[in-house]
Amino acid sequence: MLIVQKYGGSSLGSADHVKNVARKIQRTVEQGHQVVVVVSAMGDNTDDLLELATKLSVNPSARELDQLLSTGETQSSALMAMTLEHFGVPAKSFSGRQAGIITSYDYGKARIEQVDPRELRNALAVGITPVVAGYQGVTRSGDVATLGRGGSDLTAIAIANALGADRCEIYSDVAGVYTADPRIIPAASPLGMLNYDEMLELSSQGAQVLQTQAVEFARGQQVPIYARSTFTDEPGTIIREGKKESVEKPPVTAIALNRHIAKVGLIGVPDAPGVAALLFQELGESGINVELIIQALSHNQLNDIAFTIEEDDVEAAEPIVQRCLEKLGGNALSIDTQVAKVSAIGSGMLGRPGVAARVFKALANGHINIQMIGTSEIKISCIIDRDDAERAMRLIHEEFHLGQSQEMIED
Ligand code: ADP
Ligand code: ASP
Ligand code: MG
């Protein structure tokens, strides 16, 4: 088989970790498989580089930042290749450019436009294991661009697709995708299978285990993903197109938490056509993503509008919203960064009434106030106080019997 194996920073924290992963790759090669390895930067290297940059420049250019951040992966690919060679496995490191990855010009969150895997094929043909630096590619003008945080997942899936690989395996420090982040909910259980839509909601609502753009790419190209642990031999989770789903499917598959959001409120803006259009157009034009929106029932020809954005966007959003508020003659602006979003996700809730009520009731029983609600066909999200976030996750997890112990009791 031709297997793409991606190892994340959490599996490459030290020289010993690199050796451990190299042994794992060696075993796969010795079983007669061809392997293309994709590596992330070691441990927290990307965060460390980012911190260094912000110490030296208030507002570093996006091009320079990408040039810098990509070096973490460049280092680990060379280190992994030399470790494999030391173990007697012929290997060669590849940067994103050498692996033929062409990206868009959006530094820091570039899309992969094309993969030309010729050089990787040439290496494989002569028995060399390519080790590709994840998270990076080059624009058509040859500048390095990175693929967004967690972007080595995308590198692996795009390469697996371009090579027509038999399997794409994403290794991290957990045994696949769980019913909730096992670091927050120790009782969370591993999921055997998830469909792309569920995984996409989970990733975009805060489950860091797979990058959202990577799951989107996998869904678009129908690349199955095998999410597994570097440190154990458990089967992990397969993410692929859902077969005809059984009616027995539980209403909620998993819970996600996003602590990095902010709630913005405009108080007392005129209740007139064009108000929301002006506000959200200006935010959209500045690349600020708005998620949940609530407009309160109008009183005295005035409305209150509240919406959520990513916490990182607050600095950019504040002057824009302030300007809109002044233009519209509104009363006040409030920005609350002490909120979190907890989401229950599952394609089993499709066409099944009463699921939202169970989520709300679980929170009510824990005296947790819901500030905003958002839904999609397979998701119910609640904005709550950040201090309540982990408890809220646990309450919903218990309400839908997602934990390992509950499952055993039910059996
Ligand atoms: P890597 O460094 O290998 O890319 P990440 O840190 O990006 O690994 O992703 C793995 C982490 O994702 C886990 O350690 C876990 O805390 C977190 N996580 C969040 N939600 C989930 C979930 N539903 N299932 C498994 N892991 C999750
Ligand atoms: N090293 C990058 C990050 O920390 C990319 C990755 O790990 O996938 O976001
Ligand atoms: Mg990751």
Side-chain angles (χ1 to χ4, degrees):
M1 283 209 285
L2 172 57
I3 306 175
V4 174
Q5 293 190 337
K6 178 255 164 175
Y7 293 92
S10 59
S11 308
L12 301 168
S14 65
D16 280 341
H17 279 88
V18 174
K19 275 191 211 164
N20 172 51
V21 168
R23 286 288 186 211
K24 210 171 159 87
I25 297 165
Q26 181 181 25
R27 283 197 291 278
T28 314
V29 172
E30 285 172 356
Q31 282 162 9
H33 300 299
Q34 286 183 310
V35 182
V36 175
V37 180
V38 174
V39 285
S40 293
M42 289 173 68
D44 295 329
N45 190 256
T46 310
D47 289 325
D48 297 344
L49 290 170
L50 205 51
E51 202 187 315
L52 198 54
T54 48
K55 275 190 188 147
L56 296 169
S57 166
V58 187
N59 191 13
S61 99
R63 178 188 180 279
E64 298 313 327
L65 214 45
D66 274 9
Q67 186 86 347
L68 174 72
L69 295 186
S70 66
T71 61
E73 271 68 13
T74 310
Q75 285 178 24
S76 51
S77 62
L79 289 166
M80 181 59 78
M82 59 181 84
T83 314
L84 284 167
E85 292 246 296
H86 178 73
F87 290 162
V89 180
K92 184 176 162 186
S93 65
F94 288 76
S95 66
R97 181 180 59 77
Q98 289 165 331
I101 298 173
I102 307 290
T103 71
S104 66
Y105 285 88
D106 314 292
Y107 295 113
K109 49 174 192 288
R111 281 170 293 104
I112 292 184
E113 290 187 343
Q114 196 186 331
V115 181
D116 177 355
R118 243 173 308 180
E119 293 301 323
L120 298 180
R121 279 217 181 90
N122 290 344
L124 288 168
V126 293
I128 289 172
T129 296
V131 183
V132 181
Y135 179 53
Q136 55 172 279
V138 284
T139 64
R140 291 192 193 273
S141 1
D143 282 335
V144 176
T146 64
L147 308 174
R149 297 307 303 265
S152 303
D153 297 341
L154 176 57
T155 305
I157 290 162
I159 285 178
N161 180 55
L163 287 169
D166 298 292
R167 272 173 88 106
C168 180
E169 301 175 338
I170 308 271
Y171 287 92
S172 73
D173 60 348
V174 287
V177 183
Y178 282 62
T179 50
D181 186 338
R183 286 193 219 220
I184 302 176
I185 311 285
S189 18
L191 294 160
M193 195 241 146
L194 270 172
N195 63 45
Y196 290 120
D197 290 343
E198 287 175 313
M199 192 64 232
L200 203 53
E201 290 278 18
L202 257 182
S203 293
S204 61
Q205 296 309 320
Q208 181 191 346
V209 60
L210 287 172
Q211 192 210 28
T212 309
Q213 292 84 336
V215 180
E216 239 163 24
F217 189 102
R219 179 172 71 170
Q221 302 298 321
Q222 297 286 302
V223 180
I225 307 170
Y226 292 74
R228 305 187 62 186
S229 164
T230 302
F231 306 106
T232 66
D233 285 325
E234 287 150 272
T237 308
I238 304 176
I239 296 113
R240 57 166 153 76
E241 197 62 68
K243 302 263 156 55
K244 203 171 154 21
E245 240 120 31
S246 83
V247 253
E248 297 305 320
K249 196 171 160 111
V252 171
T253 306
I255 318 290
L257 174 65
N258 186 348
R259 284 197 201 85
H260 310 288
I261 59 160
K263 188 175 78 171
V264 182
L266 286 85
I267 322 290
V269 291
D271 182 23
V275 168
L278 172 83
L279 176 64
F280 295 117
Q281 188 178 338
E282 298 233 347
L283 288 167
E285 279 168 4
S286 306
I288 295 165
N289 209 21
V290 171
E291 227 213 340
L292 301 187
I293 302 176
I294 286 188
Q295 179 168 312
L297 275 182
S298 94
H299 49 95
N300 305 329
Q301 272 93 51
L302 293 177
N303 272 332
D304 297 341
I305 300 178
F307 55 91
T308 60
I309 56 176
E310 288 294 321
E311 200 174 10
D312 282 349
D313 285 334
V314 166
E315 216 180 295
E318 192 168 358
I320 300 172
V321 181
Q322 188 64 46
R323 232 184 9 254
C324 287
L325 191 78
E326 281 161 22
K327 221 187 261 180
L328 296 166
N331 289 338
L333 165 66
S334 75
I335 296 182
D336 184 353
T337 51
Q338 279 312 304
V339 291
K341 180 171 53 177
V342 59
S343 305
I345 292 150
S347 49
M349 69 176 71
L350 259 171
R352 193 185 300 205
V355 182
R358 279 178 71 185
V359 171
F360 304 151
K361 182 136 183 296
L363 296 178
N365 288 344
H367 305 287
I368 294 174
N369 186 40
I370 303 171
Q371 303 179 18
M372 296 170 89
I373 297 166
T375 60
S376 77
E377 277 187 322
I378 63 164
K379 174 193 73 189
I380 297 151
S381 296
C382 299
I383 305 295
I384 54 171
D385 195 298
R386 203 172 282 180
D387 290 339
D388 291 329
E390 300 186 356
R391 202 160 55 85
M393 209 175 179
R394 205 162 42 240
L395 287 166
I396 304 173
H397 200 260
E398 279 166 14
E399 168 64 30
F400 291 95
H401 310 297
L402 300 176
Q404 290 171 334
S405 49
Q406 270 98 345
E407 244 171 38
M408 283 188 306
I409 293 164
E410 277 184 359
D411 286 344

